[in-house]
Amino acid sequence: MTTLNPDEEALAQARQAVHAASRIAVLTGAGVSAESGVPTFRDAQSGLWASFKPEDLATEDAFRSHPERVWNWYAERRSRLQHVQPNAGHVALADFQQRHPGRLTLITQNVDGLHQRAGSTDVLALHGSIADDRWLDPCALARRPQDACSVTVAQPGQPPQCAECGNLLRPDVVWFGEMLPAEALRAAEYAALRCQVMLVVGTSGAVYPAAGLAHTARQAGAQVWVLNPHPSELDEVAHGFLRGPAAEYLPLIFGEDD
Ligand code: BV8
């Protein structure tokens, strides 16, 4: 009998727990996209953004005060995403979901769309999508609520603007201080309450209410695993730890039965 090293032991236990469960919840953060080459949310900002903290750019106030700065931060992140692919971790989750319909609920804090591009379905995207835009304000000239702005003029480096009322387009993400999409959050809370196993992957656990879902799962009796090469603020609710990279560990946990 070969003795497993602690990591192999933990991986075997996590794989066993996942394959024995009929209701699995997975909560991911920026770390699941790290091996696709997408800087994590709190990686030291580089280049133009070195002097800004993401939390100070990802707010409505920041956008209203410096629309170009915030718009261009998103433009740079969007252009980077044109050149990256989902990694083996994204694919392992998508393949498991396809092999076992209805067994795995994927909840993500990420806005990069890589889970969806890997083939995951019904992804609960708590913080929206960086690929989409929406109007900053209701149309100032609308006679009816459904009359949204339609005419946009786009100056390079500026957010597109309604030529008639001056409204700005903004990224369709959830900024700090903004409510999360109610339906996605409700479904995520439901999954956290009902799951038998929750895997928390690649998140520092600093942002709420998303991080609170791990507490909800733990309190509801689920077995909680944290997959993160580094300590996180959610270690306190974990039963087990997988101290490695998501792109390597997720295929080992969710891969085909031997
Ligand atoms: C809300 C979209 C109700 C934008 C994001 C004052 C007023 C209002 C609210 C608050 C307040 N004070 C606090 C709050 C709550 C606030 C909050 O939590 N603040 C924190 C900073 C304390 N939350 C909110 O504001 C939320 N809304 O509460 O509404 C409300 C409303 C009004 C008034 C009162 C209450 C909205 C939060 C959503 C913010 N938007 N993103 C954008 O992306 O531009 S959050 C942002 O952080 C990203 O979505 C990101 O996913 C998320 C969490 O970060 P992580 O994913 O964990 O990424 P991070 O870099 O931190 O960590 C990466 C991890 O990966 C690390 O642990 C690393 O070790 C690991 N890793 C690295 N490599 C790998 C790896 N893991 C595995 N494999 C690897 N290879």
Side-chain angles (χ1 to χ4, degrees):
M1 159 81 170
T2 52
T3 49
L4 294 174
N5 73 38
D7 245 8
E8 287 167 337
E9 180 67 35
L11 269 169
Q13 286 172 3
R15 179 178 171 86
Q16 188 182 16
V18 159
H19 287 267
S22 51
R23 294 189 304 279
I24 304 156
V26 178
L27 171 66
T28 66
V32 79
S33 299
E35 286 140 292
S36 294
V38 182
T40 65
F41 199 70
R42 282 167 189 76
D43 269 346
Q45 296 261 81
S46 59
L48 283 176
W49 317 108
S51 56
F52 299 102
K53 280 173 53 184
E55 290 90 88
D56 299 335
L57 290 168
T59 69
E60 185 181 328
D61 288 349
F63 183 69
R64 288 188 186 276
S65 330
H66 306 284
E68 301 82 14
R69 177 189 296 166
V70 175
W71 181 260
N72 288 316
W73 181 52
Y74 282 92
E76 188 174 292
R77 290 170 64 192
R78 282 169 170 166
S79 65
R80 185 188 296 122
L81 285 171
Q82 306 299 319
H83 312 293
V84 303
Q85 298 301 323
N87 61 53
H90 297 109
V91 172
L93 291 170
D95 289 355
F96 184 90
Q97 216 183 16
Q98 275 147 29
R99 289 199 310 276
H100 303 281
R103 216 167 129 194
L104 187 152
T105 303
L106 180 55
I107 307 160
T108 190
Q109 301 171 85
N110 299 343
V111 297
D112 59 30
L114 290 178
H115 283 303
Q116 296 87 334
R117 284 178 53 196
S120 284
T121 52
D122 303 316
V123 178
L124 300 177
L126 298 181
H127 295 158
S129 161
I130 199 170
D132 303 323
D133 291 326
R134 63 182 168 87
W135 290 108
L136 178 63
D137 294 308
C139 178
L141 304 177
R143 281 173 292 285
R144 297 172 304 162
Q146 63 270 37
D147 294 340
C149 301
S150 54
V151 184
T152 59
V153 287
Q155 305 292 338
Q158 308 251 345
Q161 194 165 9
C162 172
E164 290 172 19
C165 76
N167 203 356
L168 298 179
L169 277 180
R170 51 156 290 178
D172 192 14
V173 298
V174 178
W175 278 331
F176 289 98
E178 293 185 329
M179 305 299 278
L180 275 60
E183 184 43 39
L185 183 56
R186 190 205 56 73
E189 283 165 344
Y190 182 68
L193 280 168
R194 294 184 70 245
C195 67
Q196 293 146 318
V197 175
M198 176 177 274
L199 200 64
V200 178
V201 185
T203 181
S204 58
V207 174
Y208 283 80
L213 294 165
H215 293 266
T216 301
R218 173 76 192 237
Q219 283 150 18
Q223 191 182 120
V224 179
W225 287 82
V226 164
L227 195 176
N228 193 325
H230 307 295
S232 82
E233 292 183 34
L234 289 176
D235 288 1
E236 64 190 18
V237 296
H239 292 96
F241 300 93
L242 300 158
R243 291 294 182 212
E248 182 187 333
Y249 278 34
L250 286 174
L252 296 174
I253 296 165
F254 288 95
E256 283 278 331
D257 300 328
D258 298 335

